Amino acid sequence: MTVVSSLESPFFTVDFIADGIYAAIAKPGTGAMANAGIIDLGDRTLVFDTTMYTPQAGQALHNTAVQLFDRPVSLVINSHFHLDHVGGNQSFPNAVMISTDQTRTLMLERTQQFLSFALAHPEYPESVKASLEQETDERRRQELSIQLGDLLAMDAALLTLVPSPATISYDGSLTLHGSKRTAVLSAMGNGHSPCDAVLYLPGEEVLFAADLLFVHSHPSVQSGNVSEWIHILDRLGQEAFHTVVPGHGPVADKQALQSLQTYLTELLAQARLLSEQQDPLEAASCTPIPDAYQTWTLDSLYERNLKHLLHQLQSNE
């Protein structure tokens, strides 16, 4: 994938996908936790996810989009409500903001909850710093270092972050027709979150999958539905595309969907197996990460994912 080095920022790299289509790939630990898309519709510029955990990173994304196409950003899409995908919304004050109805509702509710919690617990970044100083495992140290960088960036931005919800919401699907290309928004249901949506460019066969896809990274399953997520990946795999931009990780091809689907299927099967043991949570703590996922980033999520699924299975009994 070609990196547009002249547009690189401290928060992300800019990958050229096709003429008029770019991906902003977040740099870990900078306050830009998730990827974004910048797309020329011909008569308008569209940004898919403001990606950034902080307004400062969102402003860098805005500036890059303006520089790429030499005009203001007209449209901004939020794929779901998580702050690392909506935290830069306020940096696009003149754009039409679009999301599903549920994303709009949850974005307002959860962002305010997060801000209240963060302001009430200013000591939290210091606790992560202390954990980093005491950690001896190199992979865990790297993960904590990235987490600390993102937390410090957010801590510095707390007093300036203003929740900025969609001004237009939809349910189901929405097609945007530009003079150069068409973009199709589709609400996919409850996979990674209760309100996941993707952006598809049929003319170029490019998919922006947001957090329905993690590439070379353990996904977070804490706010979604793994069984439904597996089915959603099946549906997405039936689309005609050759390039996919994930919410986290590098630009990939269709095989990346299969890799994540296999991970989630095996994770769910492992949780069901552990649920039959006398102390399933203790067993989860001792369960090694399968060899196929040993090199994926954020490996502490594997144990957390297992325990989350165990809690779900127990509550459904």
Side-chain angles (χ1 to χ4, degrees), residues 37 42 80 86 101 145 197 208 219 300 304 308 317:
H80 63 297
V86 304
D101 301 329
S145 179
F208 287 83
S300 68
R304 287 169 55 191
H308 175 76
E317 290 178 353

Side-chain angles (χ1 to χ4, degrees), residues 74-260:
S74 300
L75 301 168
V76 170
I77 312 298
N78 289 151
S79 65
H80 63 297
F81 72 91
H82 289 162
L83 189 58
D84 55 333
H85 294 261
V86 304
N89 280 10
Q90 70 190 73
S91 300
F92 299 83
N94 299 315
V96 173
M97 199 79 58
I98 303 173
S99 76
T100 64
D101 301 329
Q102 192 173 15
T103 290
R104 186 184 193 281
T105 298
L106 288 173
M107 182 267 189
L108 282 170
E109 175 187 319
R110 303 294 176 83
T111 302
Q112 193 54 59
Q113 288 176 356
F114 171 83
L115 289 174
S116 298
F117 176 86
L119 289 169
H121 296 84
E123 76 285 353
Y124 186 62
E126 284 300 319
S127 69
V128 176
K129 183 179 179 182
S131 297
L132 173 61
E133 291 171 348
Q134 297 169 12
E135 183 60 61
T136 57
D137 180 80
E138 187 55 38
R139 282 183 63 84
R140 180 60 179 151
R141 282 183 56 82
Q142 183 179 18
E143 184 175 332
L144 285 169
S145 179
I146 291 171
Q147 182 183 355
L148 180 60
D150 287 325
L151 283 171
L152 291 175
M154 172 51 69
D155 191 55
L158 278 178
L159 296 180
T160 63
L161 197 155
V162 179
S164 302
T167 52
I168 294 178
S169 60
Y170 69 99
D171 185 27
S173 66
L174 179 68
T175 301
L176 303 170
H177 298 283
S179 61
K180 187 173 184 178
R181 60 175 46 91
T182 295
V184 181
L185 286 167
S186 297
M188 302 303 296
N190 184 1
H192 166 75
S193 81
C195 51
D196 296 305
V198 300
L199 179 72
Y200 178 53
L201 305 176
E204 295 76 19
E205 297 187 349
V206 173
L207 177 69
F208 287 83
D211 280 5
L212 286 169
L213 180 62
F214 289 63
V215 174
H216 299 150
S217 174
H218 291 267
S220 171
V221 306
Q222 312 302 310
S223 63
N225 182 307
V226 169
S227 295
E228 181 61 22
W229 195 345
I230 292 168
H231 292 308
I232 289 171
L233 289 172
D234 258 337
R235 289 159 55 197
L236 287 177
Q238 295 170 20
E239 294 284 354
F241 66 89
H242 54 76
T243 301
V244 58
V245 180
H248 299 268
V251 177
D253 58 23
K254 187 172 283 191
Q255 179 58 42
L257 270 74
Q258 181 60 56
S259 296
L260 182 61

